[in-house]
mmCIF file of all heavy atoms in Angstrom:
data_model
loop_
_atom_site.group_PDB
_atom_site.id
_atom_site.type_symbol
_atom_site.label_atom_id
_atom_site.label_comp_id
_atom_site.label_asym_id
_atom_site.label_seq_id
_atom_site.Cartn_x
_atom_site.Cartn_y
_atom_site.Cartn_z
ATOM 1 N N ILE A 1 -2.276 6.436 -3.778
ATOM 2 C CA ILE A 1 -3.050 6.323 -2.541
ATOM 3 C C ILE A 1 -3.476 4.870 -2.341
ATOM 4 O O ILE A 1 -4.072 4.265 -3.244
ATOM 5 C CB ILE A 1 -4.303 7.217 -2.591
ATOM 6 C CG1 ILE A 1 -3.922 8.684 -2.766
ATOM 7 C CG2 ILE A 1 -5.162 7.029 -1.340
ATOM 8 C CD1 ILE A 1 -5.112 9.590 -3.076
ATOM 9 N N LEU A 2 -3.187 4.339 -1.169
ATOM 10 C CA LEU A 2 -3.670 3.011 -0.761
ATOM 11 C C LEU A 2 -4.521 3.211 0.483
ATOM 12 O O LEU A 2 -4.040 3.128 1.614
ATOM 13 C CB LEU A 2 -2.496 2.063 -0.471
ATOM 14 C CG LEU A 2 -1.451 1.863 -1.566
ATOM 15 C CD1 LEU A 2 -0.359 0.913 -1.087
ATOM 16 C CD2 LEU A 2 -2.099 1.322 -2.844
ATOM 17 N N GLY A 3 -5.783 3.508 0.275
ATOM 18 C CA GLY A 3 -6.681 3.799 1.384
ATOM 19 C C GLY A 3 -7.457 2.572 1.817
ATOM 20 O O GLY A 3 -8.335 2.097 1.097
ATOM 21 N N GLU A 4 -7.126 2.047 2.986
ATOM 22 C CA GLU A 4 -7.759 0.840 3.549
ATOM 23 C C GLU A 4 -7.789 -0.320 2.556
ATOM 24 O O GLU A 4 -8.842 -0.912 2.311
ATOM 25 C CB GLU A 4 -9.190 1.140 4.027
ATOM 26 C CG GLU A 4 -9.255 1.862 5.334
ATOM 27 C CD GLU A 4 -9.445 3.352 5.154
ATOM 28 O OE1 GLU A 4 -10.593 3.767 5.022
ATOM 29 O OE2 GLU A 4 -8.451 4.091 5.119
ATOM 30 N N ILE A 5 -6.636 -0.630 2.020
ATOM 31 C CA ILE A 5 -6.545 -1.746 1.075
ATOM 32 C C ILE A 5 -5.433 -2.720 1.444
ATOM 33 O O ILE A 5 -5.554 -3.926 1.235
ATOM 34 C CB ILE A 5 -6.364 -1.226 -0.373
ATOM 35 C CG1 ILE A 5 -6.348 -2.382 -1.363
ATOM 36 C CG2 ILE A 5 -5.105 -0.389 -0.502
ATOM 37 C CD1 ILE A 5 -6.387 -1.952 -2.813
ATOM 38 N N LEU A 6 -4.370 -2.219 2.057
ATOM 39 C CA LEU A 6 -3.209 -3.063 2.338
ATOM 40 C C LEU A 6 -3.551 -4.208 3.286
ATOM 41 O O LEU A 6 -2.986 -5.297 3.177
ATOM 42 C CB LEU A 6 -2.082 -2.208 2.920
ATOM 43 C CG LEU A 6 -0.650 -2.698 2.706
ATOM 44 C CD1 LEU A 6 -0.327 -2.800 1.215
ATOM 45 C CD2 LEU A 6 0.338 -1.759 3.387
ATOM 46 N N GLU A 7 -4.494 -3.977 4.196
ATOM 47 C CA GLU A 7 -4.867 -5.022 5.165
ATOM 48 C C GLU A 7 -5.603 -6.198 4.522
ATOM 49 O O GLU A 7 -5.751 -7.250 5.139
ATOM 50 C CB GLU A 7 -5.729 -4.431 6.290
ATOM 51 C CG GLU A 7 -7.090 -3.920 5.864
ATOM 52 C CD GLU A 7 -7.075 -2.471 5.387
ATOM 53 O OE1 GLU A 7 -5.981 -1.951 5.070
ATOM 54 O OE2 GLU A 7 -8.168 -1.870 5.318
ATOM 55 N N HIS A 8 -6.032 -6.036 3.276
ATOM 56 C CA HIS A 8 -6.731 -7.118 2.572
ATOM 57 C C HIS A 8 -5.764 -8.069 1.855
ATOM 58 O O HIS A 8 -6.204 -9.041 1.243
ATOM 59 C CB HIS A 8 -7.709 -6.532 1.557
ATOM 60 C CG HIS A 8 -8.826 -5.746 2.172
ATOM 61 N ND1 HIS A 8 -9.921 -6.338 2.754
ATOM 62 C CD2 HIS A 8 -8.996 -4.406 2.316
ATOM 63 C CE1 HIS A 8 -10.742 -5.407 3.216
ATOM 64 N NE2 HIS A 8 -10.189 -4.227 2.968
ATOM 65 N N PHE A 9 -4.464 -7.787 1.941
ATOM 66 C CA PHE A 9 -3.463 -8.601 1.255
ATOM 67 C C PHE A 9 -2.730 -9.505 2.238
ATOM 68 O O PHE A 9 -2.161 -9.017 3.224
ATOM 69 C CB PHE A 9 -2.448 -7.715 0.527
ATOM 70 C CG PHE A 9 -2.931 -7.185 -0.790
ATOM 71 C CD1 PHE A 9 -3.879 -6.176 -0.838
ATOM 72 C CD2 PHE A 9 -2.448 -7.707 -1.981
ATOM 73 C CE1 PHE A 9 -4.340 -5.686 -2.041
ATOM 74 C CE2 PHE A 9 -2.893 -7.226 -3.196
ATOM 75 C CZ PHE A 9 -3.849 -6.219 -3.232
ATOM 76 N N ALA A 10 -2.715 -10.805 1.954
ATOM 77 C CA ALA A 10 -1.919 -11.723 2.762
ATOM 78 C C ALA A 10 -0.436 -11.444 2.577
ATOM 79 O O ALA A 10 0.367 -11.629 3.494
ATOM 80 C CB ALA A 10 -2.243 -13.172 2.383
ATOM 81 N N ASN A 11 -0.075 -10.989 1.368
ATOM 82 C CA ASN A 11 1.307 -10.622 1.065
ATOM 83 C C ASN A 11 1.328 -9.176 0.574
ATOM 84 O O ASN A 11 1.221 -8.913 -0.631
ATOM 85 C CB ASN A 11 1.891 -11.553 0.010
ATOM 86 C CG ASN A 11 3.346 -11.252 -0.294
ATOM 87 O OD1 ASN A 11 3.963 -10.403 0.352
ATOM 88 N ND2 ASN A 11 3.908 -11.923 -1.285
ATOM 89 N N PRO A 12 1.462 -8.179 1.486
ATOM 90 C CA PRO A 12 1.414 -6.770 1.083
ATOM 91 C C PRO A 12 2.474 -6.393 0.066
ATOM 92 O O PRO A 12 2.296 -5.419 -0.674
ATOM 93 C CB PRO A 12 1.640 -6.030 2.405
ATOM 94 C CG PRO A 12 1.249 -6.994 3.469
ATOM 95 C CD PRO A 12 1.618 -8.342 2.940
ATOM 96 N N ALA A 13 3.567 -7.148 -0.011
ATOM 97 C CA ALA A 13 4.643 -6.825 -0.951
ATOM 98 C C ALA A 13 4.146 -6.814 -2.392
ATOM 99 O O ALA A 13 4.680 -6.077 -3.231
ATOM 100 C CB ALA A 13 5.792 -7.815 -0.794
ATOM 101 N N ILE A 14 3.139 -7.618 -2.696
ATOM 102 C CA ILE A 14 2.591 -7.655 -4.061
ATOM 103 C C ILE A 14 2.100 -6.273 -4.465
ATOM 104 O O ILE A 14 2.382 -5.781 -5.564
ATOM 105 C CB ILE A 14 1.449 -8.687 -4.150
ATOM 106 C CG1 ILE A 14 1.988 -10.103 -3.922
ATOM 107 C CG2 ILE A 14 0.727 -8.591 -5.504
ATOM 108 C CD1 ILE A 14 0.896 -11.158 -3.812
ATOM 109 N N LEU A 15 1.356 -5.638 -3.569
ATOM 110 C CA LEU A 15 0.804 -4.310 -3.863
ATOM 111 C C LEU A 15 1.867 -3.222 -3.751
ATOM 112 O O LEU A 15 1.918 -2.307 -4.579
ATOM 113 C CB LEU A 15 -0.356 -4.017 -2.909
ATOM 114 C CG LEU A 15 -1.102 -2.697 -3.119
ATOM 115 C CD1 LEU A 15 -1.646 -2.596 -4.540
ATOM 116 C CD2 LEU A 15 -2.220 -2.562 -2.105
ATOM 117 N N LEU A 16 2.731 -3.325 -2.761
ATOM 118 C CA LEU A 16 3.752 -2.300 -2.564
ATOM 119 C C LEU A 16 4.753 -2.268 -3.715
ATOM 120 O O LEU A 16 5.209 -1.196 -4.131
ATOM 121 C CB LEU A 16 4.474 -2.534 -1.239
ATOM 122 C CG LEU A 16 3.601 -2.349 0.018
ATOM 123 C CD1 LEU A 16 4.361 -2.779 1.257
ATOM 124 C CD2 LEU A 16 3.140 -0.899 0.134
ATOM 125 N N ARG A 17 5.073 -3.428 -4.238
ATOM 126 C CA ARG A 17 5.991 -3.505 -5.384
ATOM 127 C C ARG A 17 5.375 -2.812 -6.606
ATOM 128 O O ARG A 17 6.066 -2.100 -7.348
ATOM 129 C CB ARG A 17 6.306 -4.962 -5.697
ATOM 130 C CG ARG A 17 7.415 -5.169 -6.716
ATOM 131 C CD ARG A 17 7.667 -6.638 -6.965
ATOM 132 N NE ARG A 17 8.140 -7.320 -5.768
ATOM 133 C CZ ARG A 17 7.449 -8.239 -5.097
ATOM 134 N NH1 ARG A 17 6.232 -8.590 -5.502
ATOM 135 N NH2 ARG A 17 7.957 -8.812 -4.021
ATOM 136 N N GLN A 18 4.076 -2.997 -6.796
ATOM 137 C CA GLN A 18 3.396 -2.352 -7.921
ATOM 138 C C GLN A 18 3.273 -0.845 -7.712
ATOM 139 O O GLN A 18 3.447 -0.060 -8.659
ATOM 140 C CB GLN A 18 2.003 -2.984 -8.107
ATOM 141 C CG GLN A 18 1.181 -2.427 -9.245
ATOM 142 C CD GLN A 18 1.670 -2.831 -10.624
ATOM 143 O OE1 GLN A 18 2.871 -2.968 -10.864
ATOM 144 N NE2 GLN A 18 0.743 -3.019 -11.550
ATOM 145 N N ALA A 19 3.010 -0.427 -6.475
ATOM 146 C CA ALA A 19 2.957 1.004 -6.179
ATOM 147 C C ALA A 19 4.306 1.663 -6.458
ATOM 148 O O ALA A 19 4.378 2.761 -7.013
ATOM 149 C CB ALA A 19 2.550 1.221 -4.725
ATOM 150 N N PHE A 20 5.376 0.984 -6.092
ATOM 151 C CA PHE A 20 6.732 1.470 -6.366
ATOM 152 C C PHE A 20 6.937 1.642 -7.873
ATOM 153 O O PHE A 20 7.472 2.655 -8.327
ATOM 154 C CB PHE A 20 7.751 0.474 -5.797
ATOM 155 C CG PHE A 20 9.183 0.854 -6.024
ATOM 156 C CD1 PHE A 20 9.857 1.679 -5.130
ATOM 157 C CD2 PHE A 20 9.882 0.372 -7.127
ATOM 158 C CE1 PHE A 20 11.194 2.024 -5.338
ATOM 159 C CE2 PHE A 20 11.209 0.709 -7.345
ATOM 160 C CZ PHE A 20 11.866 1.534 -6.439
ATOM 161 N N ARG A 21 6.494 0.666 -8.654
ATOM 162 C CA ARG A 21 6.664 0.721 -10.109
ATOM 163 C C ARG A 21 5.882 1.876 -10.729
ATOM 164 O O ARG A 21 6.342 2.513 -11.689
ATOM 165 C CB ARG A 21 6.198 -0.597 -10.736
ATOM 166 C CG ARG A 21 6.476 -0.713 -12.234
ATOM 167 C CD ARG A 21 5.870 -1.954 -12.845
ATOM 168 N NE ARG A 21 4.425 -1.888 -12.969
ATOM 169 C CZ ARG A 21 3.780 -1.237 -13.943
ATOM 170 N NH1 ARG A 21 4.451 -0.551 -14.866
ATOM 171 N NH2 ARG A 21 2.464 -1.237 -13.997
ATOM 172 N N LEU A 22 4.703 2.170 -10.184
ATOM 173 C CA LEU A 22 3.815 3.160 -10.780
ATOM 174 C C LEU A 22 4.115 4.592 -10.348
ATOM 175 O O LEU A 22 3.561 5.539 -10.903
ATOM 176 C CB LEU A 22 2.357 2.827 -10.442
ATOM 177 C CG LEU A 22 1.801 1.566 -11.118
ATOM 178 C CD1 LEU A 22 0.476 1.159 -10.488
ATOM 179 C CD2 LEU A 22 1.626 1.796 -12.627
ATOM 180 N N LEU A 23 4.979 4.761 -9.351
ATOM 181 C CA LEU A 23 5.317 6.096 -8.877
ATOM 182 C C LEU A 23 6.493 6.704 -9.650
ATOM 183 O O LEU A 23 7.434 6.011 -10.016
ATOM 184 C CB LEU A 23 5.676 6.050 -7.391
ATOM 185 C CG LEU A 23 4.529 6.196 -6.386
ATOM 186 C CD1 LEU A 23 5.035 5.915 -4.974
ATOM 187 C CD2 LEU A 23 3.906 7.580 -6.467
ATOM 188 N N LYS A 24 6.430 8.011 -9.832
ATOM 189 C CA LYS A 24 7.562 8.739 -10.392
ATOM 190 C C LYS A 24 8.710 8.765 -9.382
ATOM 191 O O LYS A 24 8.536 8.437 -8.209
ATOM 192 C CB LYS A 24 7.153 10.183 -10.727
ATOM 193 C CG LYS A 24 6.134 10.311 -11.838
ATOM 194 C CD LYS A 24 5.791 11.779 -12.071
ATOM 195 C CE LYS A 24 4.754 11.939 -13.161
ATOM 196 N NZ LYS A 24 4.376 13.371 -13.366
ATOM 197 N N GLU A 25 9.869 9.174 -9.835
ATOM 198 C CA GLU A 25 11.015 9.316 -8.941
ATOM 199 C C GLU A 25 10.658 10.273 -7.800
ATOM 200 O O GLU A 25 10.110 11.360 -8.026
ATOM 201 C CB GLU A 25 12.218 9.852 -9.722
ATOM 202 C CG GLU A 25 13.479 9.947 -8.894
ATOM 203 C CD GLU A 25 14.667 10.441 -9.710
ATOM 204 O OE1 GLU A 25 14.519 10.583 -10.943
ATOM 205 O OE2 GLU A 25 15.726 10.687 -9.111
ATOM 206 N N LYS A 26 10.929 9.846 -6.573
ATOM 207 C CA LYS A 26 10.619 10.591 -5.347
ATOM 208 C C LYS A 26 9.129 10.838 -5.193
ATOM 209 O O LYS A 26 8.711 11.784 -4.490
ATOM 210 C CB LYS A 26 11.387 11.914 -5.311
ATOM 211 C CG LYS A 26 12.896 11.744 -5.257
ATOM 212 C CD LYS A 26 13.604 13.081 -5.134
ATOM 213 C CE LYS A 26 15.121 12.883 -5.074
ATOM 214 N NZ LYS A 26 15.839 14.182 -4.953
ATOM 215 N N GLY A 27 8.304 9.990 -5.814
ATOM 216 C CA GLY A 27 6.856 10.097 -5.676
ATOM 217 C C GLY A 27 6.398 9.753 -4.265
ATOM 218 O O GLY A 27 7.119 9.143 -3.478
ATOM 219 N N THR A 28 5.158 10.136 -3.944
ATOM 220 C CA THR A 28 4.605 9.974 -2.600
ATOM 221 C C THR A 28 3.628 8.811 -2.535
ATOM 222 O O THR A 28 2.746 8.677 -3.390
ATOM 223 C CB THR A 28 3.880 11.260 -2.155
ATOM 224 O OG1 THR A 28 4.813 12.344 -2.130
ATOM 225 C CG2 THR A 28 3.262 11.098 -0.775
ATOM 226 N N LEU A 29 3.780 7.989 -1.507
ATOM 227 C CA LEU A 29 2.823 6.929 -1.200
ATOM 228 C C LEU A 29 2.026 7.358 0.021
ATOM 229 O O LEU A 29 2.587 7.753 1.044
ATOM 230 C CB LEU A 29 3.549 5.616 -0.907
ATOM 231 C CG LEU A 29 2.657 4.406 -0.600
ATOM 232 C CD1 LEU A 29 1.884 3.974 -1.847
ATOM 233 C CD2 LEU A 29 3.493 3.251 -0.069
ATOM 234 N N VAL A 30 0.707 7.304 -0.091
ATOM 235 C CA VAL A 30 -0.190 7.661 1.015
ATOM 236 C C VAL A 30 -0.980 6.418 1.407
ATOM 237 O O VAL A 30 -1.664 5.829 0.564
ATOM 238 C CB VAL A 30 -1.143 8.808 0.609
ATOM 239 C CG1 VAL A 30 -2.094 9.145 1.763
ATOM 240 C CG2 VAL A 30 -0.357 10.040 0.199
ATOM 241 N N ILE A 31 -0.892 6.045 2.678
ATOM 242 C CA ILE A 31 -1.518 4.805 3.146
ATOM 243 C C ILE A 31 -2.382 5.081 4.367
ATOM 244 O O ILE A 31 -1.985 5.829 5.269
ATOM 245 C CB ILE A 31 -0.452 3.753 3.527
ATOM 246 C CG1 ILE A 31 0.291 3.269 2.284
ATOM 247 C CG2 ILE A 31 -1.070 2.562 4.248
ATOM 248 C CD1 ILE A 31 1.379 2.264 2.591
ATOM 249 N N THR A 32 -3.556 4.466 4.410
ATOM 250 C CA THR A 32 -4.333 4.372 5.647
ATOM 251 C C THR A 32 -4.717 2.913 5.844
ATOM 252 O O THR A 32 -5.109 2.227 4.892
ATOM 253 C CB THR A 32 -5.602 5.243 5.620
ATOM 254 O OG1 THR A 32 -6.447 4.850 4.528
ATOM 255 C CG2 THR A 32 -5.263 6.716 5.471
ATOM 256 N N VAL A 33 -4.562 2.439 7.081
ATOM 257 C CA VAL A 33 -4.942 1.068 7.448
ATOM 258 C C VAL A 33 -5.567 1.095 8.838
ATOM 259 O O VAL A 33 -5.252 1.976 9.647
ATOM 260 C CB VAL A 33 -3.721 0.107 7.454
ATOM 261 C CG1 VAL A 33 -3.210 -0.154 6.059
ATOM 262 C CG2 VAL A 33 -2.608 0.644 8.348
ATOM 263 N N PRO A 34 -6.450 0.142 9.155
ATOM 264 C CA PRO A 34 -6.933 0.049 10.530
ATOM 265 C C PRO A 34 -5.758 -0.175 11.481
ATOM 266 O O PRO A 34 -4.846 -0.943 11.170
ATOM 267 C CB PRO A 34 -7.859 -1.176 10.501
ATOM 268 C CG PRO A 34 -8.234 -1.340 9.066
ATOM 269 C CD PRO A 34 -7.045 -0.885 8.281
ATOM 270 N N TYR A 35 -5.777 0.506 12.619
ATOM 271 C CA TYR A 35 -4.696 0.351 13.597
ATOM 272 C C TYR A 35 -5.060 -0.762 14.568
ATOM 273 O O TYR A 35 -6.038 -0.676 15.313
ATOM 274 C CB TYR A 35 -4.475 1.654 14.357
ATOM 275 C CG TYR A 35 -3.274 1.603 15.289
ATOM 276 C CD1 TYR A 35 -1.989 1.543 14.765
ATOM 277 C CD2 TYR A 35 -3.427 1.616 16.666
ATOM 278 C CE1 TYR A 35 -0.882 1.496 15.597
ATOM 279 C CE2 TYR A 35 -2.325 1.580 17.511
ATOM 280 C CZ TYR A 35 -1.056 1.515 16.967
ATOM 281 O OH TYR A 35 0.043 1.465 17.786
ATOM 282 N N GLY A 36 -4.260 -1.836 14.532
ATOM 283 C CA GLY A 36 -4.532 -2.971 15.396
ATOM 284 C C GLY A 36 -5.654 -3.838 14.851
ATOM 285 O O GLY A 36 -6.014 -3.762 13.666
ATOM 286 N N TYR A 37 -6.216 -4.656 15.709
ATOM 287 C CA TYR A 37 -7.202 -5.650 15.287
ATOM 288 C C TYR A 37 -8.550 -5.012 14.993
ATOM 289 O O TYR A 37 -9.134 -4.358 15.857
ATOM 290 C CB TYR A 37 -7.354 -6.717 16.368
ATOM 291 C CG TYR A 37 -8.435 -7.740 16.062
ATOM 292 C CD1 TYR A 37 -8.302 -8.608 14.983
ATOM 293 C CD2 TYR A 37 -9.583 -7.814 16.839
ATOM 294 C CE1 TYR A 37 -9.284 -9.540 14.694
ATOM 295 C CE2 TYR A 37 -10.566 -8.744 16.565
ATOM 296 C CZ TYR A 37 -10.420 -9.605 15.495
ATOM 297 O OH TYR A 37 -11.403 -10.520 15.209
ATOM 298 N N HIS A 38 -9.029 -5.193 13.763
ATOM 299 C CA HIS A 38 -10.382 -4.806 13.370
ATOM 300 C C HIS A 38 -11.075 -6.056 12.838
ATOM 301 O O HIS A 38 -10.644 -6.614 11.825
ATOM 302 C CB HIS A 38 -10.360 -3.732 12.279
ATOM 303 C CG HIS A 38 -10.103 -2.355 12.797
ATOM 304 N ND1 HIS A 38 -10.809 -1.256 12.369
ATOM 305 C CD2 HIS A 38 -9.224 -1.894 13.721
ATOM 306 C CE1 HIS A 38 -10.363 -0.170 13.002
ATOM 307 N NE2 HIS A 38 -9.401 -0.544 13.809
#
C-alpha cells in the first residue's frame, strides 16, 4: 500500500522500484494520491 506517499517523491521510480522488489509474483499495488494540484 502506498497511501498518499508517491506525491512526496521527486523521482517516484525510487519508491516504485522498491515496491516491485517487495511484492510477491502477481502481487497487488494499492495507491492513493491527490488528484491534480493540492
Side-chain angles (χ1 to χ4, degrees):
I1 300 170
L2 305 179
E4 283 98 85
I5 183 171
L6 207 60
E7 66 273 17
H8 295 282
F9 280 74
N11 183 5
I14 295 172
L15 183 57
L16 294 173
R17 189 180 297 112
Q18 181 72 325
F20 179 87
R21 187 186 73 80
L22 291 167
L23 272 171
K24 294 179 181 178
E25 184 178 353
K26 296 184 180 180
T28 299
L29 181 68
V30 179
I31 292 178
T32 59
V33 290
Y35 186 69
Y37 176 66
H38 280 224

